[in-house]
Amino acid sequence: MEQILGSGSPSAAAGGADEVAEAAIEVLFHRHHAALLRAAFAVLGSREGAEDAVQDAFVSLYRHWGRLRDPAAAEAYLRSAVLNRCRSGIRSRIRDRSMTAAVGVPLHVVDTAETAQRHHDVALVGPALRRLPRRQREVVVCRYLLELSVAETAETLGISDGAVKRHTHRGLHALHTALEVTR
């Protein structure tokens, strides 16, 4: 954790409270890092961008740990922070493309049969998912990659339960249609 946070982290000065924060964040990291990374990759289509978004979210959580009213809300904070960073990444890419007409190339690393299958699935679903409108994409990622309930998704995205259901239905229909066309 110290490698991610750097030697100038507040933990060097604050002592005990930061040790509690580090321990809690380490547990959150082990439990949620992989799922958050998959979700960010599904939204961004870039492994490097996904890793940056997730790392930034964990660093931000660490820096703001003392301001959390309820440490039990840390998981929701992470999900929201990752999605916000993905949105920023998309806006940044759009700006960069319009200014330089550069196109990013996703990084594909295959080291096991399971990873190869995941990359195959992402190669099929990822482009279709990224063509969905932003809100539909975010809802589908929350519901199916992060495995959040309707209520958790609504809280994470700041929308109503009905909006989650509507965007889920429309997003899944659009994905199904897009994947039928590619077969």
Side-chain angles (χ1 to χ4, degrees), residues 53-111:
V54 173
Q55 179 177 326
D56 288 350
F58 275 99
V59 169
S60 178
L61 175 61
Y62 176 76
R63 289 189 176 142
H64 297 103
W65 187 263
R67 294 186 216 158
L68 279 179
R69 288 186 204 124
D70 179 12
E75 182 181 339
Y77 176 96
L78 281 171
R79 290 190 301 257
S80 294
V82 168
L83 288 173
N84 286 337
R85 280 156 179 79
C86 288
R87 287 182 196 127
S88 295
I90 290 169
R91 283 191 297 270
S92 175
R93 263 198 320 214
I94 289 169
R95 238 184 347 264
D96 291 348
R97 283 184 185 157
S98 67
M99 294 168 80
T100 63
V103 178
V105 179
L107 174 65
H108 296 283
V109 177
V110 178
D111 56 357

Side-chain angles (χ1 to χ4, degrees), residues 25 43 91 152 182:
I25 292 170
V43 172
R91 283 191 297 270
E152 290 170 326
T182 61

Side-chain angles (χ1 to χ4, degrees), residues 7-172:
S7 60
S9 71
S11 68
D18 286 327
E19 290 175 12
V20 171
E22 280 188 35
I25 292 170
E26 188 170 343
V27 169
L28 287 166
F29 184 86
H30 289 293
R31 287 186 183 159
H32 303 290
H33 180 264
L36 291 169
L37 192 59
R38 283 191 303 274
F41 181 79
V43 172
L44 294 171
S46 161
R47 182 167 177 86
E48 181 179 288
E51 289 171 346
D52 287 346
V54 173
Q55 179 177 326
D56 288 350
F58 275 99
V59 169
S60 178
L61 175 61
Y62 176 76
R63 289 189 176 142
H64 297 103
W65 187 263
R67 294 186 216 158
L68 279 179
R69 288 186 204 124
D70 179 12
E75 182 181 339
Y77 176 96
L78 281 171
R79 290 190 301 257
S80 294
V82 168
L83 288 173
N84 286 337
R85 280 156 179 79
C86 288
R87 287 182 196 127
S88 295
I90 290 169
R91 283 191 297 270
S92 175
R93 263 198 320 214
I94 289 169
R95 238 184 347 264
D96 291 348
R97 283 184 185 157
S98 67
M99 294 168 80
T100 63
V103 178
V105 179
L107 174 65
H108 296 283
V109 177
V110 178
D111 56 357
T112 66
E114 184 178 325
T115 302
Q117 182 60 46
R118 278 192 191 141
H119 282 286
H120 176 72
D121 294 345
V122 169
L124 292 176
V125 177
L129 181 65
R130 285 185 290 282
R131 282 191 298 272
L132 292 177
R134 178 183 63 99
R135 187 61 80 187
Q136 288 178 14
R137 181 177 57 242
E138 291 171 354
V139 168
V140 169
V141 165
C142 285
R143 295 284 290 128
Y144 298 99
L145 288 174
L146 295 177
E147 299 177 357
L148 302 180
S149 69
V150 169
E152 290 170 326
T153 300
E155 180 183 341
T156 297
L157 298 175
I159 59 177
S160 69
D161 289 1
V164 169
K165 292 174 185 177
R166 183 174 56 255
H167 290 304
T168 301
H169 174 76
R170 290 177 181 168
L172 290 177

